[in-house]
Amino acid sequence: MRMAKEPKKEVRERSDAERRARQCARLANLMRVLHLISGRGRWDVRTLAEELECSQRTVHRMLSTLSMAGVPWYFDEKVRAYRVRPGFKFPIVDRVTTEDKDSRAVESNAEQIRNVTTQLIEDGEAFAESLEQFLATIKAISNRCQDS
């Protein structure tokens, strides 16, 4: 006896916006895993999956992605939790300055950093000056109140 074939389900294409939103959500979860295992908590596959509301398989894929990104995580048998090696920092700044073949891009980055630094210093000095004026005003008011 032949079974009637079910009609094929129509596959809906995702829009670019939907794909970008899903990629952002995956990246956010990946960053969350990194944050969790970098902290003091005890995070194993089960607790990470519960926290992220995903499957344990997904957690393993995220850990694999972190490995490919150069994050030195490991499973600490003593506490039965995932950890990131102490002192680990992403060497992004070093990569830009050492791997960038186009010196103009490096010079452009350095110039941007100088400009931002100069602006921060100017803003800080302006803030300090306004704070000094504010304190002088408060002192003057305080002196008037004491003289009264």
Side-chain angles (χ1 to χ4, degrees), residues 53-115:
E53 298 177 351
C54 66
S55 70
Q56 292 182 15
R57 173 87 175 102
T58 299
V59 171
H60 284 290
R61 281 194 297 267
M62 288 182 199
L63 290 169
S64 176
T65 302
L66 288 174
S67 290
M68 287 187 276
V71 175
W73 63 267
Y74 65 101
F75 188 77
D76 187 342
E77 290 290 341
K78 184 178 177 182
V79 294
R80 309 277 311 145
Y82 288 100
R83 298 273 185 244
V84 174
R85 299 254 178 248
F88 170 72
K89 301 279 187 227
F90 275 108
I92 293 173
V93 174
D94 293 339
R95 262 192 234 143
V96 169
T97 57
T98 58
E99 293 180 6
D100 194 347
K101 302 281 192 249
D102 186 1
S103 63
R104 286 176 287 165
V106 173
E107 289 171 10
S108 174
N109 288 341
E111 183 64 28
Q112 288 175 343
I113 291 169
R114 277 193 294 275
N115 291 340

Side-chain angles (χ1 to χ4, degrees), residues 15-55:
S15 70
D16 285 342
E18 289 172 321
R19 277 193 289 276
R20 283 192 298 273
R22 287 174 54 93
Q23 287 173 343
C24 288
R26 280 194 298 266
L27 181 59
N29 276 343
L30 192 61
M31 297 302 291
R32 196 159 171 216
V33 168
L34 179 58
H35 177 74
L36 291 172
I37 67 174
S38 295
R40 294 180 180 244
R42 291 185 178 187
W43 298 99
D44 60 8
V45 171
R46 185 184 56 78
T47 55
L48 283 168
E50 287 173 6
E51 179 70 21
L52 299 169
E53 298 177 351
C54 66
S55 70

